[in-house]
Amino acid sequence: MPATRHAFFTSEFLAQLERLSLLSRRVFRGRVRGERRSLRRGHSVEFCDYRAYGVGDDLRYVDWNIYGRLDRLHVKLFVDEEDLCLHLIVDASASMNFGSPTKLDCAVRIAAALGFVGLVNLERVGVGVLRDRVAEGWPPTRGRSQVAGLLDVLAGVGPAGGTSLNEGLGNYAARARQAGLAVVISDLLDPAGYESGVRALLERRFDVHLVHVLAPEEMNPELAGDLRLVDSETGEMRELSMDGDAVRAYRERLRQFLERVETFCRTKEIGYHRLASDAPTEEFVLAQLRGRVLV
Amino acid sequence: MSFLAPFALTLFALSVPLVLLYFLKVRRRERTVSSLLLWPTSLRDREASTFFQRLHRDPLLLLQLLALLALALALARPVATVMGQGARKVVVVLDTSASMKARDVSPSRFEAARAGAAALVRGLGEGAEVMVIEAGVQPKVTAALARDRERALAAIRAAQARDLPTRIQEAVRTARALVAAEPRAEIHVFTDGAFTLPQSPDVADPRVRWVGVGRHGQNVAITSLSIRKNYYGAFDYQAFVSLVNYSVEPQTFGFRLELDGKSIAEKEVTLEPSVRRSMVLPFSHSGGGTVTARLRIDDDLAVDNTAYAVLPPPRKIAVLLVSAGNLFLEKVLRTDPQVSLEVRTPDQYQGGMGDADVVVLDSVTPPRAGPGRFIFVNAVPPDVPLEVLGRLERPTIMDWDRAHPVMRHVEFAKVTIEDAMRIRPLAAGRSVVEAVGGSLIYALEEPDRKALFIGFDLFKTDFPLRIAFPLVLSNTLRWLHPAGLDQSSFQFAAGQPILLPAPHGVTTVTVTTPSGRAVQGRVTRGMVSFTETDETGIYTLSTSRGETRVAVNLADADESNLVPHPLPAASGHGPAAAPVPDYLAQLDGNVRGLKIGLPREYFENLTGETASLIARAVDRLDPEKHLPLHSAKSRAQSRF
């Protein structure tokens, strides 16, 4: 856990981030004018279409050149620009407190990077923290001035309690006032699964991206001997003798688990990104997410 | 299978703590992981929770249990008695009959047989079981069936040829019975074959292999010697001798009859082959003595060149006559030279035998007769098992038992009797003279009493006036007390048990054999018995009442005939099979002079290497090139 909000990123990284913006595969209806194309026709500088003049239309938008040539009145339509709402949903359950740096650290840094990009580009950025079924967090806010607040919120996220991804995500989806780009950062290690929560987001027409953070020890367990394994969230114990069979079985289950996640994401058109918690966050954000989430 | 230390098996009880140890919980390190989601639901610790599943699942525990079991079993020292499949069972039967003493094989047939048997036993492989049986009068197992070859060899060494007739068939039967139906058993019979084997399963058994040791027999034998007393004359004897020549040539030899070492007859005898000659030699002698017949000849078997006979000392039969006065009885008994008579009146006799050998009661009924030997004339003492039913008036004699010793030479037809007692016997016996209505003379034979009952008064009959009367009395005395009078009862064949009536009151007897060995004999029911008559010669039986001597002779014509008969051929590979020439011994010799046949048609028209190799071999073996084959070969070669 970084001690201060400024320890999140180097200035160099921030400078790189400033040049990026968020990419959404879907066009959302925004609240206020923003820098993003909207479905609505509006008053931007970008021409979109013509339509016949109706009574009451602003005469300023009548195309006089066409009137002169065709002797008909036509009104120019322009693309309207609105803002995008970015939802950063971070799993902060106890299971995220593994690896070095911890998965939660990694998740927070990614969330911070994305939030920074969003705020800088005049988007709304909201944070949801999944912990013990409830999604608490930071309501969507916009404005560059909010960067410090966002970082403070993220710095205050600590691992505790169990997770119920389904309920947390469902909750969040139900409470969100405005759908948008949702980036779920989690290890997805929930015995109950995560699918119905993600589906709830999709039903609210969120553009969902899943950042799957796994600790290296989870990908490649290095346990040995007769152990009593304790689940960090439920406290459940399981006695296990670590031998080749056990490790092989673990690997097989892990492979199946990841395969299931990938299949799920592929079929639901969810952006899926996996990283190990000890991988450098900057590189992940600049290389992996660029072109998928960020532009 | 059994265990030498079965208590070590209790070691296996350690398996209980072993299993318990195994079920102790493993102390596990606690380790917190992010989620158990990906960890397998436990491979075995959870799934195999029940006892037997666990046992079944854990090869390590099973291996440990097996190791413990093996250790316990090993410490318990298991032993198994296994009948080896390949082990031979060899029964050695040694013929110990007299003919085995023959010296036609040096040093004797028996030595040869013993050597053969010892060689056979030594040549047996490890694990073979050996049994040794001596074929004496009774087959005797001297070494039981065991793998101990040393014991078998010792038994063979200890075996001795006896002066006994052959009983080889009984020995073979015994051997067959002892090995039962065992197909791997071999019965090796070492014998001289000087006997004729009857056809029997014993002979036909393929497991029996006969090993003959005799070659030929040159033997002259005394096959019988008996001394008889003349019918008349108290001291006149006749010696009856039979001599047989079993050789293939005529034999001339000296014959000598000795009485207590003094020659009483000497003769030069010539016998043609296979001729028997019997001689009767009379002589006179008073008192006892030993008669020895000797042949002076050096033949193969010495045992049958001497024969013995014993003349009993002239001991008289002590007869006690209890009578109020009976001239007939007194006269007849006094006339018998072998009877010493004592006469008492009825009031002097209270029953019993006293010192007498025979008691004669004439119309006297003592209160009790007791055990002993009696003649009851017209009297039935109360303890005699005869019931008096009444009288018979002028009984008509129907028949008499001519076979009974008492009635020998007796003619009873014309005897008339005025009246007689009508009796009914209550115990075993024989009616000697039978009349209409009952028995007149009855021979009683009880375990401790022998008696002749004459059921009529001698004064009321003409019986005492007839020649039958002294004969009946004389016969009766000899029937009642036979050993005192008959020479033949002092002569026995070798192998026969000596059975003699014991004098009254004798309980122990010591028998001295011809070789001087003293053996305790047995006295049962008034008879002395001694069975080990395996030497010829004079046996002395000593009792508290004096000494008795008896002679034991081989007197067996079959045994003296040493000529071996062909033995049954062993089927298969027995030792009696024809000797196999040793072909291997001739392998290293020179081939010079040998004829080698080469069928010409096989070697004509040969080609290539085969032809040249054969040509070279022929050249090598036949340097002078006698072989027309050679030219044929060159011709064949030139064609190609």
Side-chain angles (χ1 to χ4, degrees):
Chain A
M1 179 79 37
T4 67
R5 56 190 178 182
H6 305 293
F8 270 128
F9 307 114
T10 58
S11 55
E12 199 179 331
F13 180 50
L14 287 177
Q16 282 178 312
L17 287 179
E18 271 193 58
R19 292 201 294 272
L20 297 172
S21 63
L22 295 172
L23 176 74
S24 176
R25 290 169 293 177
R26 205 175 284 169
V27 178
F28 293 97
R29 288 180 66 140
R31 278 249 175 118
V32 288
R33 290 182 67 87
E35 293 184 339
R36 199 161 288 272
R37 285 172 66 139
S38 167
L39 287 174
R40 281 178 263 179
R41 301 291 168 258
H43 307 278
S44 69
V45 292
E46 199 170 340
F47 171 79
C48 176
D49 205 354
Y50 292 100
R51 79 170 155 80
Y53 175 76
V55 180
D57 281 337
D58 196 342
L59 287 177
R60 286 181 293 172
Y61 295 112
V62 174
D63 192 333
W64 298 110
N65 291 335
I66 293 179
Y67 178 74
R69 213 181 298 163
L70 300 174
D71 205 15
R72 282 179 198 166
L73 286 171
H74 281 274
V75 180
K76 282 196 274 188
L77 297 179
F78 295 91
V79 173
D80 198 11
E81 289 190 332
E82 289 176 346
D83 61 349
L84 177 73
C85 195
L86 171 66
H87 301 274
L88 296 169
I89 306 171
V90 178
D91 180 2
S93 62
S95 67
M96 291 293 282
N97 191 24
F98 281 87
S100 65
T102 63
K103 293 188 277 183
L104 186 60
D105 255 359
C106 181
V108 163
R109 284 157 71 90
I110 290 167
L114 294 175
F116 179 78
V117 172
L119 287 178
V120 163
N121 288 298
L122 297 175
E123 317 281 10
R124 286 165 177 269
V125 173
V127 174
V129 178
L130 298 180
R131 181 187 292 147
D132 274 336
R133 305 177 181 189
V134 279
E136 50 193 80
W138 199 53
T141 327
R142 66 182 293 200
R144 205 176 170 125
S145 57
Q146 300 297 324
V147 167
L150 172 75
L151 294 185
D152 279 344
V153 166
L154 287 176
V157 173
T163 346
S164 177
L165 285 173
N166 283 336
E167 281 186 47
L169 289 175
N171 249 344
Y172 191 91
R175 287 194 335 209
R177 261 178 266 164
Q178 193 182 355
L181 186 62
V183 178
V184 180
I185 309 171
S186 171
D187 55 5
L188 300 179
L189 293 174
D190 181 350
Y194 48 89
E195 290 92 343
S196 66
V198 174
R199 262 190 226 113
L201 289 175
L202 291 173
E203 278 159 14
R204 289 279 328 262
R205 306 198 62 78
F206 278 91
D207 182 11
V208 182
H209 283 267
L210 209 50
V211 176
H212 194 184
V213 187
L214 281 175
E217 64 203 41
E218 285 164 346
M219 300 219 214
N220 221 349
E222 284 173 347
L223 302 176
D226 291 321
L227 296 178
R228 179 179 294 139
L229 300 180
V230 183
D231 192 306
S232 58
E233 294 180 11
T234 61
E236 187 191 335
M237 295 186 196
R238 186 170 297 168
E239 291 180 350
L240 204 59
S241 296
M242 277 302 153
D243 47 17
D245 278 348
V247 173
R248 262 194 296 285
Y250 178 87
R251 291 232 170 92
E252 178 61 19
R253 287 172 73 108
L254 177 68
R255 191 183 63 76
Q256 288 174 358
F257 175 72
L258 294 177
E259 207 170 69
R260 255 197 329 271
V261 175
E262 281 169 17
T263 311
F264 174 77
C265 292
R266 202 160 51 240
T267 52
K268 302 289 180 193
E269 295 190 338
I270 297 168
Y272 176 74
H273 318 278
R274 181 162 66 217
L275 88 154
S277 67
D278 60 345
T281 324
E282 291 85 353
E283 195 189 313
F284 176 75
V285 171
L286 292 177
Q288 302 269 319
L289 292 185
R290 195 168 185 174
R292 301 206 229 174
V293 184
L294 304 170
V295 175
Chain B
M1 195 169 84
S2 58
F3 295 97
L4 292 179
F7 282 107
L9 285 178
T10 54
L11 196 67
F12 190 61
L14 285 177
S15 60
V16 175
L18 180 69
V19 171
L20 290 181
L21 265 178
Y22 207 79
F23 279 95
L24 282 183
K25 288 252 176 208
V26 180
R27 182 181 291 272
R28 291 170 186 276
R29 279 181 293 134
E30 243 175 54
R31 190 74 184 261
T32 311
V33 292
S34 53
S35 173
L36 290 180
L37 184 66
L38 295 178
W39 285 105
T41 334
S42 164
L43 287 174
R44 56 171 166 268
D45 300 299
R46 202 44 84 73
E47 291 165 15
S49 50
T50 70
F51 183 86
F52 287 106
Q53 269 179 322
R54 224 162 152 167
L55 277 188
H56 180 69
R57 286 234 162 198
D58 216 309
L60 207 60
L61 175 65
L62 286 182
L63 282 178
Q64 284 168 345
L65 284 176
L66 280 177
L68 184 64
L69 181 66
L71 186 71
L73 281 178
L75 286 177
R77 302 175 67 196
V79 287
T81 311
V82 185
M83 279 299 159
Q85 280 296 307
R88 294 164 77 189
K89 283 187 177 174
V90 175
V91 182
V92 174
V93 177
L94 282 174
D95 184 359
T96 56
S97 67
S99 59
M100 292 295 281
K101 287 186 172 179
R103 295 183 304 257
D104 57 333
V105 188
S106 177
S108 78
R109 288 181 179 183
F110 190 71
E111 291 301 328
R114 214 154 60 164
L120 169 73
V121 171
R122 275 194 216 98
L124 289 176
E126 286 298 326
E129 293 179 79
V130 194
M131 170 157 62
V132 180
I133 297 181
E134 278 184 35
V137 170
Q138 301 287 330
K140 195 163 89 183
V141 178
T142 51
L145 195 62
R147 296 193 187 164
D148 193 349
R149 281 192 294 171
E150 285 310 312
R151 213 173 66 175
L153 287 172
I156 290 170
R157 275 195 295 275
Q160 290 292 334
R162 318 272 178 192
D163 299 335
L164 294 172
T166 302
R167 296 277 189 277
I168 196 77
Q169 217 190 332
E170 283 85 338
V172 173
R173 194 175 300 144
T174 307
R176 287 184 68 229
L178 288 174
V179 299
E182 176 64 59
R184 277 186 304 277
E186 302 163 24
I187 301 171
H188 294 263
V189 185
F190 290 86
T191 181
D192 53 2
F195 46 80
T196 320
L197 277 170
Q199 274 305 317
S200 76
D202 299 319
V203 177
D205 192 333
R207 299 176 297 172
V208 180
R209 284 117 199 235
W210 299 86
V211 186
V213 288
R215 275 210 295 263
H216 52 83
Q218 190 210 29
N219 190 29
V220 178
I222 303 173
T223 55
S224 75
L225 166 69
S226 58
I227 310 288
R228 269 191 214 153
K229 205 163 180 209
N230 270 1
Y231 192 69
Y232 44 86
F235 308 113
D236 292 332
Y237 294 89
Q238 285 178 330
F240 176 85
V241 188
S242 289
L243 307 175
V244 186
N245 177 14
Y246 289 109
S247 316
V248 285
E249 303 114 37
Q251 297 283 342
T252 304
F253 52 89
F255 170 76
R256 192 173 140 104
L257 192 69
E258 294 170 0
L259 177 62
D260 288 338
K262 283 177 293 190
S263 169
I264 47 176
E266 223 168 329
K267 261 188 160 174
E268 187 82 2
V269 184
T270 302
L271 281 180
E272 293 299 312
S274 304
V275 163
R276 169 195 296 269
R277 182 177 297 173
S278 300
M279 293 185 288
V280 180
L281 302 165
F283 64 96
S284 289
H285 181 63
S286 62
T290 307
V291 177
T292 313
R294 286 186 203 280
L295 301 183
R296 250 181 280 162
I297 183 169
D298 185 25
D299 58 6
D300 288 337
L301 189 61
V303 179
D304 55 7
N305 292 350
T306 315
Y308 303 91
V310 170
L311 293 183
R315 182 169 167 275
K316 293 191 173 181
I317 307 174
V319 177
L320 174 65
L321 173 63
V322 184
S323 169
N326 191 326
L327 186 66
F328 301 123
L329 279 172
E330 231 177 304
K331 186 78 184 164
V332 167
L333 291 173
R334 279 200 201 286
T335 318
D336 195 323
Q338 289 181 301
V339 169
S340 69
L341 183 68
E342 187 191 349
V343 183
R344 289 192 198 168
T345 55
D347 51 339
Q348 288 172 316
Y349 178 73
Q350 298 302 321
M353 292 289 293
D355 287 333
D357 291 321
V358 178
V359 174
V360 184
L361 297 179
D362 175 32
S363 303
V364 171
T365 310
R368 194 178 161 277
R373 306 181 183 95
F374 296 95
I375 301 175
F376 302 123
V377 181
N378 198 25
V380 181
D383 58 336
V384 172
L386 293 173
E387 191 184 2
V388 182
L389 299 173
R391 310 292 304 177
L392 286 172
E393 291 285 331
R394 293 194 172 274
T396 313
I397 291 163
M398 280 165 57
D399 196 12
W400 60 96
D401 188 351
R402 288 167 183 83
H404 199 276
V406 167
M407 300 306 282
R408 197 151 63 182
H409 311 303
V410 172
E411 170 70 36
F412 219 81
K414 294 182 177 161
V415 175
T416 51
I417 300 161
E418 198 177 315
D419 79 335
M421 299 166 90
R422 185 163 162 240
I423 55 144
R424 191 176 73 181
L426 300 175
R430 269 166 82 176
S431 179
V432 177
V433 177
E434 189 75 17
V436 179
S439 184
L440 290 178
I441 299 180
Y442 191 83
L444 261 178
E445 279 187 86
E446 290 175 83
D448 56 351
R449 179 160 47 202
K450 214 169 169 185
L452 187 78
F453 167 75
I454 302 174
F456 46 88
D457 190 348
L458 293 179
F459 293 110
K460 295 182 177 176
T461 174
D462 62 351
F463 178 48
L465 306 174
R466 296 196 177 269
I467 193 77
F469 182 61
L471 281 176
V472 166
L473 272 186
S474 176
N475 286 343
T476 303
L477 289 178
R478 281 149 186 80
W479 173 66
L480 287 175
H481 193 231
L485 302 164
D486 199 353
Q487 268 78 26
S488 61
S489 57
F490 289 102
Q491 249 177 324
F492 297 90
Q496 239 182 21
I498 297 173
L499 280 173
L500 286 175
H504 200 66
V506 165
T507 53
T508 58
V509 61
T510 307
V511 182
T512 311
T513 63
S515 51
R517 203 156 52 95
V519 187
Q520 283 296 317
R522 290 200 304 165
V523 184
T524 40
R525 295 177 73 167
M527 298 294 276
V528 173
S529 62
F530 180 75
T531 51
E532 297 163 51
T533 53
D534 52 8
E535 295 178 60
T536 57
I538 303 295
Y539 287 70
T540 309
L541 284 70
S542 314
T543 65
S544 53
R545 296 282 292 269
E547 283 189 349
T548 313
R549 297 198 296 163
V550 295
V552 172
N553 293 311
L554 179 61
D556 187 319
D558 285 339
E559 203 56 37
S560 297
N561 188 357
L562 297 181
V563 180
H565 292 262
L567 290 168
S571 55
H573 51 281
V580 179
D582 186 5
Y583 296 114
L584 289 176
Q586 301 175 8
L587 276 185
D588 297 332
N590 200 333
V591 294
R592 184 169 298 282
L594 277 182
K595 266 187 196 162
I596 301 175
L598 294 177
R600 182 174 303 172
E601 52 272 30
Y602 290 1
F603 298 102
E604 280 176 352
N605 303 333
L606 290 172
T607 59
E609 195 183 3
T610 317
S612 63
L613 281 175
I614 289 176
R616 211 187 303 159
V618 170
D619 274 342
R620 175 98 180 262
L621 291 171
D622 182 27
E624 285 93 41
K625 304 195 175 17
H626 296 306
L627 229 58
L629 176 73
H630 198 259
S631 53
K633 178 140 337 291
S634 358
R635 224 177 32 240
Q637 272 180 328
S638 65
R639 248 200 291 168
F640 293 93

